[in-house]
Amino acid sequence: MKNFQLKWFRRVGLVEGLSLITLLFIAMPLKYMFGIDQAVSIVGMAHGVLFLLYMSFVFLVTLTVRWSLKWFLGASVVAIIPFGNFVFDAKLKNADFAQPESVVEKV
């Protein structure tokens, strides 16, 4: 279950990161350089929905995987930094969250 949620969290994080980059480096220049206001409206709405989905996954994964405060804050902060989700994803890929379940030994 943990691996399934982490896999989807990583996917949503990458899509959310792409939407932030699209908003900042494509839609905003189209608006302010060429006067195409619709670019920010459309991409901004998509990014907002993806951001809310991403933050929902942050809370879900934090509770499921039992992330420390450091991981929770890191996942939250990188969502507002361009290219931050990609760096966080690389660290997340290398992290090992496989915690053994409590084993009851038979005596």
Side-chain angles (χ1 to χ4, degrees):
M1 184 70 154
K2 291 178 187 179
N3 289 336
F4 177 77
Q5 289 177 346
L6 281 171
K7 181 169 55 169
W8 274 100
F9 172 75
R10 290 181 59 214
R11 288 178 182 171
V12 170
L14 292 175
V15 172
E16 193 277 333
L18 282 173
S19 74
L20 177 61
I21 290 169
T22 304
L23 178 64
L24 293 177
F25 297 112
I26 296 174
M28 290 182 73
L30 284 174
K31 178 180 179 175
Y32 292 110
M33 295 172 128
F34 302 107
I36 305 172
D37 295 338
Q38 296 82 8
V40 171
S41 298
I42 295 168
V43 177
M45 174 67 99
H47 171 67
V49 170
L50 288 168
F51 177 78
L52 292 174
L53 181 64
Y54 176 79
M55 290 309 293
S56 298
F57 265 95
V58 168
F59 287 110
L60 179 69
V61 171
T62 298
L63 294 174
T64 305
V65 181
R66 301 192 188 276
W67 271 352
S68 66
L69 183 62
K70 175 182 124 178
W71 281 100
F72 172 74
L73 291 176
S76 300
V77 169
V78 298
I80 59 172
I81 300 172
F83 302 102
N85 278 338
F86 304 109
V87 174
F88 186 75
D89 182 64
K91 291 185 184 287
L92 192 61
K93 187 177 181 182
N94 295 329
D96 182 24
F97 294 110
Q99 300 172 355
E101 300 292 328
S102 61
V103 178
V104 178
E105 296 180 1
K106 294 183 180 183
V107 180

